[in-house]
Amino acid sequence: VKLPKTDYEKCLELDYTETFAPRGTPMGTWVIITYADAPEYLDNWHWIAKAMDYIQTPEGAPPRKKRKQK
């Protein structure tokens, strides 16, 4: 999930999270959340909700691609 910086830092303090780092390079404020049992995802749904709220903000949205001018 992609989180705001303050939530990102709090989330990484938990035992079941790690930085999302494809090919060894951390990607911004993305976190991998892995639980042993599926019901734990429902118990900790607030991280998913925070991510969904964040990606709808200007700072959390992906950068817009620039169009080539003719």
Side-chain angles (χ1 to χ4, degrees):
V1 295
K2 184 178 183 181
L3 295 167
K5 185 126 179 110
T6 54
D7 289 325
Y8 168 79
E9 291 167 356
K10 287 178 194 172
C11 191
L12 283 179
E13 293 173 4
L14 305 171
D15 291 336
Y16 48 83
T17 61
E18 62 184 285
T19 302
F20 178 60
R23 299 185 188 143
T25 304
M27 273 189 71
T29 58
W30 286 85
V31 177
I32 297 173
I33 300 174
T34 308
Y35 300 111
D37 298 308
E40 290 180 87
Y41 286 95
L42 294 175
D43 293 341
N44 295 285
W45 184 256
H46 64 278
W47 292 115
I48 307 297
K50 285 178 182 260
M52 296 298 288
D53 289 340
Y54 180 60
I55 62 171
Q56 295 178 60
T57 66
E59 67 253 2
R64 293 183 177 248
K65 293 182 180 180
K66 293 182 181 179
R67 293 185 180 189
K68 292 182 181 180
Q69 294 183 2
K70 294 181 182 181

